[in-house]
Amino acid sequence: LTVLTDNLAVAFDSATGLLSSIKRSGTEILLTPLTPNFWRAPTDNDFGNYMPDWAAVWEQASRNRTLDSFAVNTDLPCCAKITAKYSFANDAGDEIATWVATYEVTADGRINVANEFTRAPDLPVIPRVGMNVELIRSLDQVEWFGRGPHENYSDRKESANVGRYRNTVADHYVPYLRPQENGYKTDVRWVSLSNADSGLLVKANELISFSVSHNRLIDFVPPVKIAITSEDGPDARVNNDRVNMHVNDVKPRDLVSLDIDLGQMGVGGDDSWGMRTLQQYSLGESSYRYGFTLI
């Protein structure tokens, strides 16, 4: 499905329901569709409290997405309205969450995105509630109005003042010796990515969080848990998959990965060998709504 304005062509894949293409004056700016995402690259503290194990259903959910319905309404005076409804399952096939994404494409080329997320009861907290999209590599100039200029999280933001900041995508990367989640920004009103000719502005309905990188999430995830503790059992030291990653293993890709999130849970750190992120900095509610406009 393609919605045309004076200088934009906005395309949706009717098989997946995802916003898959934005062409401005014939030039594509998306490399991958705008996709719901519940996972983050585990931090050292995440490995310390076994988050990849107890929260595994949310990594599985990102892989087990089903489009339940896809509807188009072109009779509205304001816009073309597209609604995609999804269900998410764990690897066992049990439905654990639903997501409704509503897009309104206006005549002047704005794309209003509204998301409604609901999860099943008795599930662990969610590492992240958001959407990811990959953009063309040239959109590497970043400007935002929110907390910065350094990385900040829901439980690590007191030193990051709200302001208007400008830098490059590469400046957001934090080279932890063991690659992991990095570079996040919270309490964001808007963020733009641009080159000399054009750009994409993301304007929050309320407050959002974002991250930008020349890498994909998977680039920061080791094959298995690295640090060995007593809970890992006697076979941990002979696991041939236990290969450490280092900062020099992270090679920039020819893309810009953009996360547009309601948020992610804090990084914790009361200790680094079992304590989880405090509840007030976790995503434990049964439902969430958030939205933004792409301009």
Side-chain angles (χ1 to χ4, degrees), residues 144-152 157 159-163 165 184-186 188:
W144 76 99
F145 181 25
R147 291 195 181 269
H150 51 271
E151 69 168 7
N152 52 92
K157 64 182 184 180
S159 67
N161 292 324
V162 173
Y165 301 98
Y184 209 53
K185 306 298 185 298
T186 64
V188 174

Side-chain angles (χ1 to χ4, degrees), residues 133-259:
V133 65
E134 292 179 9
L135 309 173
I136 56 175
R137 177 63 166 75
S138 64
L139 296 178
D140 65 351
Q141 300 300 306
V142 188
E143 188 170 359
W144 76 99
F145 181 25
R147 291 195 181 269
H150 51 271
E151 69 168 7
N152 52 92
Y153 296 82
S154 60
D155 58 353
R156 293 289 188 283
K157 64 182 184 180
E158 287 301 311
S159 67
N161 292 324
V162 173
R164 183 171 177 172
Y165 301 98
R166 179 182 298 168
N167 57 15
T168 68
V169 170
D171 292 329
H172 288 253
Y173 173 52
V174 181
Y176 290 107
L177 291 182
R178 188 193 67 74
Q180 55 194 281
E181 158 64 38
N182 71 91
Y184 209 53
K185 306 298 185 298
T186 64
D187 295 343
V188 174
R189 284 71 169 169
W190 56 260
V191 56
S192 71
L193 291 100
S194 63
N195 56 28
D197 300 317
S198 62
L200 178 67
L201 172 67
V202 182
K203 182 180 178 182
N205 289 3
E206 295 181 1
L207 295 178
I208 58 173
S209 298
F210 83 93
S211 61
V212 288
S213 176
H214 289 308
N215 292 92
R216 295 176 175 141
L217 184 156
I218 193 64
D219 295 338
F220 304 113
V221 182
V224 296
K225 178 176 178 288
I226 300 302
I228 299 174
T229 61
S230 59
E231 291 86 353
D232 290 314
D235 296 330
R237 295 184 184 278
V238 296
N239 184 346
N240 292 330
D241 291 330
R242 194 179 292 275
V243 178
N244 209 345
M245 293 176 62
H246 302 87
V247 65
N248 55 296
D249 293 319
V250 179
K251 308 296 184 185
R253 296 177 183 261
D254 191 25
L255 54 83
V256 173
S257 177
L258 170 64
D259 290 299

